[in-house]
Amino acid sequence: CARWVVLDPLPREHYSLETRITDLAMRMIAAKMERAEGIFIPQAFSDGAGVMNQDGTVGELFIPWRTAAHLLAGAEPLGNLQLPANCRTEVFERGQEMVMAVWSDRPTRVPMFLGDDARQIDLWGRERPLTLENGMQVLEVGPAPMFFTGIDAALMRTQMSVQFEHATLASQFLKPQPNGLKLTSYFPQSIRGQVRIVVPETWRPSPKDIPFKVAPAETMYQQLEITLQPNATTGRQ
């Protein structure tokens, strides 16, 4: 059976425009993450909680709704890419095209590389190329989801494949804990590079830098150890 989602935008009289726009876009992204085949607004023509006004004119939510709908229509969720600074991501694929939604609790600038043709689109549909700093692209994000298109698919899939064999560590101090790192190449040719493990200062990874060379569709596995110092903090890191 088809999976449909009904979204009621937040009412104008109780919330700011920024809050209403962010909430609507976030719920549209969440519905696509759950593979909803249809997303509907039951009262699209409403002065207080619609994307169009009661008299048929364009409402203040129309452009953000249209931007998100255009970018997410027909897209399938692939997962997320972990970024620093408490950023959240969701990656979608439509044919050979990739779209990534990124947001953060506060304005944040994240240096990374998405591909030579990557572009940034805000909820108002304003599109621009990414800023370059020190050879890296800079993602400028905040509480409202920002979309990124023109992403290099092989690069994104390869980055998303990087993961630790074990996602949790025991609360044991000064004892090396075995782990492993996996990386799968989605490039059509062999690639080489280096993975640097960035962890809290109270952790001791060995090795910290892992060079690699992998063929197309090949998965690299590197054993490593992580030692927690006596002052290491438990909980999510």
Side-chain angles (χ1 to χ4, degrees):
C1 62
R3 179 177 297 178
W4 292 355
V5 173
V6 175
L7 299 182
D8 284 306
L10 295 176
R12 177 188 296 174
E13 60 267 27
H14 298 307
Y15 299 92
S16 67
L17 177 59
E18 182 178 359
T19 298
R20 296 172 68 215
I21 291 172
T22 300
D23 175 79
L24 180 61
M26 293 291 291
R27 287 195 284 159
M28 293 173 70
I29 292 170
K32 292 299 294 186
M33 289 164 52
E34 296 299 323
R35 301 182 184 276
E37 298 177 47
I39 304 173
F40 300 93
I41 296 178
Q43 296 183 2
F45 290 85
S46 170
D47 292 339
V51 296
M52 303 289 289
N53 295 320
Q54 195 70 40
D55 61 5
T57 57
V58 173
E60 55 190 4
L61 295 184
F62 178 80
I63 293 179
W65 166 80
R66 181 185 181 279
T67 300
H70 174 72
L71 291 169
L72 297 175
E76 295 293 329
L78 286 182
N80 57 70
L81 180 66
Q82 184 174 349
L83 297 181
N86 296 317
C87 289
R88 287 285 310 279
T89 70
E90 290 297 334
V91 181
F92 301 89
E93 182 182 48
R94 180 172 49 229
Q96 299 299 315
E97 179 186 7
M98 280 194 169
V99 177
M100 181 171 68
V102 186
W103 63 95
S104 176
D105 293 338
R106 56 187 180 274
T108 304
R109 304 175 83 250
V110 181
M112 62 179 303
F113 188 74
L114 297 177
D116 293 330
D117 299 324
R119 301 184 69 82
Q120 178 172 310
I121 304 175
D122 66 16
L123 288 174
W124 294 104
R126 294 172 295 201
E127 180 177 341
R128 63 178 179 83
L130 298 178
T131 303
L132 290 175
E133 291 184 6
N134 300 320
M136 297 288 285
Q137 296 166 330
V138 178
L139 281 60
E140 299 182 21
V141 298
M146 189 72 68
F147 293 95
F148 296 88
T149 62
I151 297 171
D152 186 300
L155 177 62
M156 176 58 68
R157 286 183 175 273
T158 301
Q159 291 183 96
M160 292 177 66
S161 76
V162 181
Q163 60 181 323
F164 287 110
E165 183 177 17
H166 304 296
T168 59
L169 297 173
S171 297
Q172 298 177 339
F173 304 108
L174 300 179
K175 178 181 179 181
Q177 299 188 44
N179 208 324
L181 188 76
K182 299 178 182 179
L183 177 151
T184 301
S185 173
Y186 288 86
F187 287 90
Q189 70 279 343
S190 296
I191 61 171
R192 67 170 66 236
Q194 178 175 280
V195 174
R196 169 163 292 177
I197 300 178
V198 180
V199 293
E201 294 183 357
T202 53
W203 297 19
R204 297 291 184 270
S206 178
K208 182 176 182 179
D209 295 314
I210 302 173
F212 67 86
K213 180 179 180 181
V214 290
E218 181 183 1
T219 297
M220 174 208 78
Y221 176 80
Q222 170 68 47
Q223 290 184 325
L224 57 95
E225 293 181 335
I226 298 178
T227 304
L228 301 181
Q229 301 303 296
N231 57 340
T233 303
T234 58
R236 185 176 180 87
Q237 305 293 322

